[in-house]
Amino acid sequence: MQLVKNFNFSFLYKYGIVVPIRLGLTLCLVGGLLSCGNLGQFGMNAIGANITQIQDLKPEQDDGTTVYVQGKVEKRVPLLNQYAYQINDSTGKIWVVTNQTGLGEGEQVVIKGKVRHQSIPLAGKEYGELYIEEQ
């Protein structure tokens, strides 16, 4: 039969290092948990700007309202002197017109721009669409 000796941490209390060890472990745990979080769900990105969900954009905002949109680039269309990118943030999709040329499909981006609405009335119906013009 094996004799198992209970390991006792009382020597840590004797030298007064229990509190710093607990504090250090707690800080590491909290820091690790915060670094894994996605702040985008709280309406904030890494630079602290308010992120607007695409589903919340309305044609009435076509007064030059500046918004921040965060999402993944799904499509890329070259225009004459610009590019148009379709951004998806899981609540919807929107086109962004920009001078940036280096964005690739699948990249996560944060875009700052003005909400625009292009009205296209056909046969009494409205087929217009919102888009963002990057600043």
Side-chain angles (χ1 to χ4, degrees):
M1 182 184 292
Q2 287 183 329
L3 180 62
V4 177
K5 183 177 179 184
N6 289 336
F7 190 72
N8 195 346
F9 289 103
S10 62
F11 70 93
L12 294 176
Y13 289 102
K14 181 178 176 183
Y15 295 108
I17 59 174
V18 170
V19 173
I21 288 176
R22 285 184 180 172
L23 183 61
L25 290 174
T26 302
L27 288 175
C28 287
L29 177 65
V30 170
L33 289 174
L34 288 177
S35 68
C36 293
N38 180 4
L39 295 179
Q41 64 189 349
F42 301 113
M44 301 290 284
N45 68 355
I47 59 173
N50 287 329
I51 301 295
T52 303
Q53 292 184 340
I54 293 173
Q55 73 180 2
D56 296 337
L57 297 175
K58 305 288 182 229
E60 297 82 39
Q61 288 179 297
D62 186 19
D63 58 358
T65 304
T66 300
V67 296
Y68 289 86
V69 176
Q70 180 177 7
K72 185 168 66 167
V73 176
E74 287 197 338
K75 294 180 183 175
R76 177 181 170 180
V77 178
L79 303 174
L80 289 176
N81 293 327
Q82 296 177 317
Y83 275 86
Y85 298 96
Q86 188 177 46
I87 307 296
N88 183 350
D89 74 349
S90 77
T91 67
K93 298 176 184 181
I94 194 164
W95 285 96
V96 176
V97 177
T98 179
N99 292 324
Q100 292 189 48
T101 59
L103 300 179
E105 292 181 11
E107 283 187 48
Q108 283 289 121
V109 294
V110 176
I111 301 288
K112 175 185 175 185
K114 293 190 182 278
V115 178
R116 303 288 188 215
H117 179 259
Q118 181 62 49
S119 177
I120 306 172
L122 288 175
K125 292 186 179 180
E126 175 61 40
Y127 293 98
E129 190 167 337
L130 282 176
Y131 67 97
I132 295 177
E133 186 175 348
E134 187 179 31
Q135 295 178 329

